[in-house]
Amino acid sequence: MDFLVKNKTYTAQRVFCIGRNYVAHIEELGNEMPGSPVIFMKPATSLVPHTQKAIPYPEFSKNLHFETELVVLIGKEGVPADEADAKNFIAGLAVGLDLTMRDVQDDLREKGLSWEISKAFDQSAPIGEFTAFDPSGDLKSLKFSGSINGELRQNGDSGLMIFPITRLIKELSKFWKLLPGDLIFTGTPAGVGPLQHGDTIEITAPQGKSYSWDIS
Ligand code: ZN
């Protein structure tokens, strides 16, 4: 998928995702606090553009969860020197969904198996448009939200992240040299829950623009 930001086209490369980045969400799932960011990936082909109106409910799950997340677009190649420098690698910010088959995830996790399919399946990453980010801009009080059928369910604030965005970027760059078009789903705040057939999910980006999809 391509994203146009400030007249420049970025082709989505790797989709990095962060788990357990908000205390209240760790508590609601009864997970342990991580000492460093929990990292997993989705293929770039799991992205769903805002122009697509419906998302199919996966047939192998009976408990599809929404996770509303702030998404960072990387704009340049390299490894940041430090956390402050990490800001210079950000080209844009968006809001997206880390759709998760919670029953499949719990089942695999219980057996000690990789839970990749529960997170990385087709159409598991709906995403809105990117707004250009200026390195002098604020990353510490970005607000975003998610609603189901018009009812507010998730309120996000980047100021409540356990690992701030610049730390996440620095951490990822230890293992992967950053590339333009890399995306980072930065973790979900509390309030995750199941989706039903026929639900409409709407997510709102920090700049105030909303995007919605119907669950078919
Ligand atoms: Zn997530």
Side-chain angles (χ1 to χ4, degrees):
M1 191 186 298
D2 288 347
F3 299 100
L4 185 67
V5 183
K6 260 192 175 170
N7 297 320
K8 209 176 151 190
T9 302
Y10 296 88
T11 300
Q13 299 254 27
R14 286 95 46 106
V15 180
F16 299 109
C17 301
I18 305 301
R20 307 185 191 177
N21 203 20
Y22 292 85
V23 174
H25 173 62
I26 292 171
E27 287 171 349
E28 76 181 345
L29 292 188
N31 286 323
E32 265 173 53
M33 275 281 273
S36 56
V38 176
I39 301 165
F40 59 96
M41 292 173 92
K42 293 179 187 252
T45 47
S46 64
L47 293 165
V48 179
H50 70 281
T51 48
Q52 179 180 322
K53 280 297 111 204
I55 295 169
Y57 196 110
E59 57 182 296
F60 11 83
S61 177
K62 288 189 164 49
N63 194 17
L64 180 68
H65 270 205
F66 56 87
E67 297 188 355
T68 310
E69 311 196 358
L70 196 64
V71 185
V72 173
L73 170 68
I74 296 296
K76 71 171 187 174
E77 182 175 333
V79 175
D82 50 31
E83 279 190 47
D85 184 34
K87 258 188 152 183
N88 300 316
F89 283 72
I90 304 174
L93 297 170
V95 66
L97 285 167
D98 166 18
L99 296 179
T100 304
M101 298 190 287
R102 193 73 69 200
D103 48 350
V104 175
Q105 185 187 36
D106 289 347
D107 188 47
L108 290 167
R109 188 181 269 161
E110 230 164 75
K111 294 176 181 149
L113 299 170
S114 159
W115 38 265
E116 183 151 358
I117 56 169
S118 71
K119 289 276 197 183
F121 59 96
D122 276 351
Q123 310 205 47
S124 60
I127 189 165
E129 295 160 294
F130 278 95
T131 304
F133 176 76
D134 185 279
S136 64
D138 167 67
L139 285 176
K140 294 196 175 99
S141 60
L142 298 165
K143 310 279 199 294
F144 58 100
S145 62
S147 301
I148 311 290
N149 304 328
E151 188 187 313
L152 181 68
R153 301 289 289 279
Q154 288 195 283
N155 245 327
D157 180 345
S158 64
L160 298 175
M161 288 179 178
I162 298 168
F163 304 107
I165 291 168
T166 49
R167 167 83 193 274
L168 296 177
I169 294 171
K170 185 68 190 124
E171 195 75 25
L172 285 166
S173 72
K174 284 185 191 170
F175 309 102
W176 297 275
K177 181 171 78 169
L178 302 173
L179 295 170
D182 282 343
L183 305 186
I184 308 167
F185 280 64
T186 57
T188 184
V192 303
L195 289 163
Q196 315 292 343
H197 292 276
D199 279 351
T200 298
I201 182 153
E202 184 178 74
I203 56 178
T204 303
Q207 90 279 20
K209 206 165 168 189
S210 297
Y211 305 90
S212 69
W213 294 269
D214 298 324
I215 307 301
S216 61

